Amino acid sequence: MQNEYFASWAVPELQRIRDTNRVKHNSRSAQIFHPAKAQDAEAEQEGQSLPLFGSTSWTAQTVGPNKRQKTQKEDLLCYVGGAVWALDWCPACDSTANNEEEPVQHIAVAAHPGGRTKTVIGEIVSGPAIVQIWSAPYATEAKASSISNALPQMQLGICHEGGLTWDCKWCPSDTSIQHIAGTGALSRLGLLALVLGNGELQVVAVPHPKAALQGLDPMLAHQDGSEDSSVSGVNAALLVEVPPVAWLQASAMGGSLPCVVEWLPVPPHDLLLVGFWDGSLAVVRLQPSSAPSTPDSPSLQSSQESQLRRKAQHDMVVLTHFQVEPTPLRAVAWCPPQVGQEESLEQRCLFLTAGHLGFLRMWDSRDTSRPLYQRRVSSISRLLSLQWSYLLDPPGFLIATDDGGIVYEAGHPQEEGQSWQDAHLWRLESDKGGHGTRNITRESRGANTGAVWSVQCCPSNGLVAYAGEDGEVAIFKERMLQDNRMRRAHTTVAGVHAKEEGLELRSAQYYTHHASGVYQASKPSKLKGLAPEVQSIHRVRWSPNGGQAAWLAHGGAAGLVWLQRLGLR
């Protein structure tokens, strides 16, 4: 179902950028290889050179949550040119890309500019950067064999001057529009919220890549909406400037710099939850406007900022902005609807925060003087990722920590009509002030595995994927049990390690499993920390367009985005 609230948010006039110097990514090709035989470390290796914005596929053997079940699958690899810190699938699925039997989905990727060895959090970063929009196949179980014939393509580069992109999130519902009545606007793929390094929060109406190409250069576009296939890499990329349809600068937040954003998960998706590096949090409303926004104070605007504000079609209204803790907020999440209720005021007001102090807190935007509920998940580790899911057994929250742990907390009213406040007040009393372990389960990656940067539960099949500093991606599906003896081993599905020859890609068959974590088949390292060759994985994201088998995308320090089709089979 399409979202009518944003029906008038048209794609602004585009400007094509032909200067490839705007692409501040590593232009050197990535050398990738994987062992020909999983059990033989000295086996002949198959290598390949992958150019910037290039993609390839390779066949790998994988296993499901039941590691005795083995299948052959096609993995897809994309080289995006820099460390990946923002990654999200578009909920819209284009069924007309090639034909009705081969639909295409899209994914937004933001890689840090090449050559930047370190970015200090909480400091302003400015300069040219892009958000990449890639197309990827969407194959059903019946059409899985067609994957190898449809490689991912970097179809659109959205240029901005924000230095880098800390986070990007698509509006949760399908906001694609083929045509807006009464306008000459291009077809819209969706609405994308961006958190930029210069402190700006933007919402961009992303044009459909085919429509953008045909609108800008109709003589260069083929009937299928693609450019000349003889040109590849960065020279073939369609780079455009897309003025935001709504925009908020750091000065509107008292100088606080944003780091994470989440859309309200229920229609009309008109609220954004924004976390900041200084530990504050804001609730921002997206408000359609009949006239372009005007600057709040000319003294705060440069000429470029004033021009950007004049082009903004709609408004961002800050409903509340308050301090949560004195250290950075790494993750924020809206509370889901109550049991038995499709819509309520609570779901527009209640949300959770997690950050460097190790506290999980629940807040009500109507009274931010104190949290409704808080629990110190860890006194020695930082909380880096937070997600709630109905599909967990029982439903609850997944929290990733920087000491290699995954923490689960049962977090949903269990009875129809019971409010979030009632459920958590009961929990506080039963757990003696919130310090008990009745509703907490802890998973561990194992010793010396480093931070778990990202964790997410698949919306279609309930598989949980996570990844982090050890450069490995693992999945599991199980009840959240407190008894370690009852837990099943997790399944490692991918790993990236740097060697002299290039980037070594390790599939599931490379690894062996242990009940308390995941370990690789080679000899364990004697180092107390992580090996220098490890390429950390920063983000894992499940595609919302799937069934029992869904696409998992993950990317990190190596500049690769790895797409894998995983399921319960």
Side-chain angles (χ1 to χ4, degrees):
M1 179 180 293
Q2 290 190 337
N3 191 317
E4 297 297 330
Y5 185 83
F6 298 110
S8 63
W9 291 42
V11 177
E13 182 179 353
L14 306 182
Q15 178 181 353
R16 181 161 190 177
I17 306 298
R18 298 186 180 275
D19 182 10
T20 57
N21 290 326
R22 292 289 298 270
V23 181
K24 298 295 184 180
H25 294 317
N26 189 354
S27 60
R28 296 179 58 185
S29 298
Q31 304 298 318
I32 60 175
F33 67 92
H34 59 279
K37 296 180 180 180
Q39 289 78 20
D40 187 0
E42 302 299 329
E44 182 180 356
Q45 297 170 336
E46 302 172 1
Q48 184 177 357
S49 178
L50 200 60
L52 179 61
F53 301 152
S55 61
T56 187
S57 66
W58 59 287
T59 302
Q61 190 179 51
T62 188
V63 295
N66 181 351
K67 59 185 179 183
R68 294 174 296 178
Q69 298 174 339
K70 298 182 180 181
T71 58
Q72 294 288 330
K73 64 180 178 64
E74 290 283 345
D75 284 3
L76 304 177
L77 294 167
C78 313
Y79 182 46
V80 300
V84 177
W85 282 99
L87 185 70
D88 201 34
W89 290 92
C90 180
C93 188
D94 181 10
S95 60
T96 62
N98 296 313
N99 55 63
E100 295 182 354
E101 298 179 351
E102 296 183 7
V104 171
Q105 55 187 339
H106 294 83
I107 185 170
V109 181
H112 282 208
R116 185 184 298 276
T117 58
K118 182 174 66 173
T119 300
V120 180
I121 64 175
E123 292 189 2
I124 293 178
V125 180
S126 60
I130 66 170
V131 177
Q132 305 171 30
I133 308 297
W134 287 72
S135 65
Y138 169 58
T140 63
E141 284 79 355
K143 294 292 180 180
S145 60
S146 65
I147 293 177
S148 60
N149 298 323
L151 292 177
Q153 293 183 344
M154 207 291 271
Q155 293 193 319
L156 189 67
I158 300 175
C159 300
H160 62 80
E161 294 294 329
L164 51 85
T165 305
W166 285 116
D167 197 11
C168 67
K169 295 289 173 55
W170 293 96
C171 182
S173 65
D174 185 355
T175 54
S176 62
I177 294 181
Q178 296 300 319
H179 177 69
I180 298 179
T183 72
L186 299 174
S187 297
R188 188 180 73 194
L189 180 63
L191 296 175
L192 185 64
L194 302 176
V195 175
L196 306 183
N198 62 359
E200 293 177 4
L201 175 65
Q202 296 186 4
V203 174
V204 178
V206 179
H208 195 287
K210 293 189 302 182
L213 178 60
Q214 292 171 346
L216 291 170
D217 289 302
M219 300 300 295
L220 295 179
H222 298 287
Q223 293 182 353
D224 63 353
S226 61
E227 288 194 275
D228 187 353
S229 60
S230 63
V231 182
S232 60
V234 66
N235 294 322
L238 176 59
L239 305 179
V240 297
E241 283 188 352
V242 185
V245 291
W247 174 69
L248 197 68
Q249 61 179 353
S251 60
M253 297 293 184
S256 296
L257 302 178
C259 58
V260 62
V261 64
E262 289 289 342
W263 292 79
L264 182 69
V266 295
H269 309 294
D270 60 328
L271 299 179
L272 295 177
L273 196 59
V274 187
F276 295 84
W277 290 119
D278 64 1
S280 63
L281 181 136
V283 178
V284 178
R285 187 170 188 264
L286 301 175
Q287 183 171 300
S289 174
S290 58
S293 302
T294 56
D296 296 330
S297 172
S299 63
L300 298 176
Q301 315 276 335
S302 67
S303 59
Q304 181 180 5
E305 290 173 336
S306 298
Q307 181 180 8
L308 181 62
R309 178 64 75 106
R310 285 196 299 270
K311 290 183 179 181
Q313 301 173 357
H314 307 283
D315 295 329
M316 282 189 180
V317 180
V318 181
L319 301 182
T320 183
H321 182 210
F322 64 98
Q323 195 72 28
V324 173
E325 58 183 58
T327 58
L329 289 182
R330 285 289 188 170
V332 295
W334 292 92
C335 291
Q338 298 177 26
V339 176
Q341 294 190 16
E342 295 183 358
E343 185 175 354
S344 69
L345 181 61
E346 273 193 336
Q347 66 196 44
R348 295 179 59 85
C349 300
L350 302 184
F351 46 84
L352 295 105
T353 61
H356 282 194
L357 284 185
F359 280 97
L360 174 66
R361 294 184 173 97
M362 175 183 288
W363 298 87
D364 188 330
S365 61
R366 295 166 292 188
D367 181 6
T368 60
S369 60
R370 57 176 296 178
L372 292 175
Y373 160 77
Q374 73 175 18
R375 183 199 294 275
R376 189 154 201 171
V377 177
S378 175
S379 61
I380 59 173
S381 59
R382 301 167 180 171
L383 309 186
L384 302 179
S385 179
L386 169 66
Q387 195 217 5
W388 185 93
S389 177
Y390 277 111
L391 297 179
L392 298 174
D393 187 11
F397 300 96
L398 286 170
I399 306 167
T401 69
D402 71 348
D403 62 354
I406 300 173
V407 179
Y408 161 79
E409 176 173 354
H412 194 276
Q414 299 297 312
E415 299 177 4
E416 185 171 343
Q418 185 184 32
S419 69
W420 274 95
Q421 292 96 324
D422 292 340
H424 281 279
L425 286 174
W426 173 85
R427 180 175 293 109
L428 284 171
E429 182 179 355
S430 63
D431 288 348
K432 298 180 180 179
H435 299 289
T437 59
R438 175 171 177 170
N439 297 283
I440 281 189
T441 299
R442 298 180 185 273
E443 301 278 349
S444 176
R445 285 278 275 176
N448 299 330
T449 55
V452 175
W453 279 110
S454 184
V455 60
Q456 191 181 43
C457 182
C458 179
S460 60
N461 60 32
L463 284 175
V464 175
Y466 62 93
E469 236 179 334
D470 61 354
E472 297 173 1
V473 181
I475 61 173
F476 67 92
K477 181 177 177 64
E478 62 179 335
R479 286 181 57 87
M480 297 300 176
L481 302 173
Q482 293 185 3
D483 190 344
N484 287 329
R485 295 168 296 183
M486 301 296 292
R487 295 179 189 163
R488 290 176 291 178
H490 298 183
T491 301
T492 306
V493 294
V496 181
H497 289 250
K499 302 289 186 179
E500 292 183 1
E501 303 87 343
L503 297 172
E504 183 183 45
L505 308 179
R506 299 175 178 177
S507 61
Q509 63 193 32
Y510 187 89
Y511 297 91
T512 58
H513 312 281
H514 189 274
S516 62
V518 183
Y519 300 88
Q520 63 188 50
S522 58
K523 294 181 180 179
S525 173
K526 295 182 180 180
L527 298 176
K528 293 183 179 180
L530 296 175
E533 66 181 30
V534 168
Q535 297 289 300
S536 61
I537 306 296
H538 303 142
R539 295 291 180 266
V540 294
R541 291 291 183 269
W542 290 100
S543 169
N545 308 311
Q548 290 301 301
W551 283 102
L552 175 66
H554 45 86
L560 293 175
V561 172
W562 192 334
L563 307 181
Q564 296 179 284
R565 190 167 175 274
L566 303 171
L568 297 176
R569 296 179 300 173

